[in-house]
Amino acid sequence: MTDADRLAQKRYYMIVGVNLLATAGAVLGLLVAGRSNSWGGSVLGGATLLSSLYFMAVVPRAMARRWRTPKPEQP
């Protein structure tokens, strides 16, 4: 395995890890919102859920865009 392959594999695992972290945050938000007896706890859980969903949608794409292989220049 070459260095480029190892780097690509590490980056892939980082993107998957970010998705898993965001999923865990969304589940935590659902648990907090569902088990809360007060209005504030429900709002906190909902905010955690929404921010985790946003994190799940935006961050992995930004990482992939930043690490994209540059296109060769056209003469």
Side-chain angles (χ1 to χ4, degrees):
M1 187 179 274
T2 65
D3 287 338
D5 291 338
R6 285 191 192 110
L7 181 61
Q9 186 178 22
K10 287 179 185 179
R11 288 178 174 177
Y12 172 76
Y13 287 139
M14 287 178 65
I15 290 173
V16 170
V18 165
N19 270 329
L20 287 173
L21 184 65
T23 304
V27 169
L28 178 68
L30 280 173
L31 287 173
V32 169
R35 293 184 179 258
S36 176
N37 293 330
S38 65
W39 180 80
S42 295
V43 170
L44 178 67
T48 304
L49 173 66
L50 289 176
S51 64
S52 294
L53 291 175
Y54 179 77
F55 186 80
M56 192 185 309
V58 173
V59 174
R61 287 185 184 183
M63 291 169 75
R65 188 176 307 125
R66 180 181 177 115
W67 292 334
R68 181 176 297 145
T69 305
K71 293 181 181 178
E73 293 183 17
Q74 301 278 336

